[in-house]
Amino acid sequence: MEKIYEILRIKQEIIEVNETDNLQVVRSPQDVVKVIEKRIADEDREVFLVLCLNTKNKVVAIHRAHVGSINASIVHPREVFKSAILNNAASIIVAHNHPSGQSVPSPEDFEVTKRLVKAGEIIGIEMLDHIVIGRNEYTSLKSQGHM
C-alpha cells in the first residue's frame, strides 16, 4: 500500500548576511553582476541563481535554485518562483555562470528565459533580466533584446 504524506509547513532557511555583504538596489546589469559575481563566477559547474527583489528593486534574497553540470543546468519555473513567492518578491532577476568562461548565451539559455518570463506573467512576478556570467565578462539577455 502506498503511503500518503501531509505537508504541515514549508520552512525557508534564512542565512544572515554580514555588513560587508549588504544587499543593494539593482538598477542595471552591472549592479547585478556586482552582487552575484563573487558567488558564482569561479564555480566549476553551472549555478543558477534567483535574485528576489522588492518593489524598489532592492535584493531581499538570493536563492541558489540549481547546480548543474559543467555545461548544463536544468531549471524549472517552480524552483525559480518558489523562492520569489516565499520572499514576497515583486520581481526577480535570474543569473547563471558558464564554467567555460564565455558569457555567450546558449539556445537553452534563450529557451529557459522564455519559459520563465511566461511563468512570471502568469504568477504576477515579473522577470526583469537573465544574466550569464563568464570569466571577466557577462551578457544581459534583456540588454540584447531577448526579453
Side-chain angles (χ1 to χ4, degrees):
M1 182 167 228
E2 202 172 306
K3 289 185 179 181
I4 297 176
Y5 295 95
E6 180 182 2
I7 299 173
L8 300 176
R9 69 183 173 128
I10 297 174
K11 180 183 174 193
Q12 179 180 2
E13 185 176 341
I14 298 173
I15 299 171
E16 300 267 336
V17 288
N18 23 11
E19 294 299 318
T20 59
D21 197 28
N22 65 345
L23 301 178
Q24 60 191 27
V25 174
V26 290
R27 295 184 183 92
S28 68
Q30 294 86 358
D31 291 343
V32 175
V33 171
K34 286 179 193 171
V35 172
I36 63 170
E37 191 171 37
K38 62 185 169 198
R39 289 177 169 83
I40 63 171
D42 294 331
E43 293 280 348
D44 63 346
R45 289 172 171 62
E46 283 200 10
V47 177
F48 196 92
L49 296 180
V50 180
L51 281 73
C52 301
L53 309 173
N54 66 13
T55 56
K56 299 195 184 297
N57 282 358
K58 180 177 181 185
V59 179
V60 294
I62 299 174
H63 174 66
R64 190 177 276 234
H66 192 270
V67 177
S69 65
I70 59 170
N71 64 353
S73 180
I74 299 168
V75 179
H76 295 283
R78 66 179 169 266
E79 279 99 20
V80 170
F81 286 99
K82 175 182 176 182
S83 61
I85 292 167
L86 290 174
N87 286 288
N88 295 320
S91 59
I92 63 168
I93 296 173
V94 298
H96 76 281
N97 65 317
H98 279 176
S100 68
Q102 296 181 348
S103 66
V104 178
S106 68
E108 293 82 10
D109 294 340
F110 295 122
E111 185 58 36
V112 77
T113 300
K114 278 196 272 184
R115 282 188 18 230
L116 292 174
V117 167
K118 205 176 284 188
E121 289 170 355
I122 293 168
I123 294 171
I125 299 174
E126 183 181 6
M127 186 168 113
L128 301 177
D129 204 346
H130 183 169
I131 308 284
V132 181
I133 300 283
R135 205 164 285 115
N136 300 318
E137 63 181 53
Y138 70 91
T139 300
S140 162
L141 272 68
K142 183 168 189 164
S143 295
Q144 285 194 339
H146 297 290
M147 291 181 61

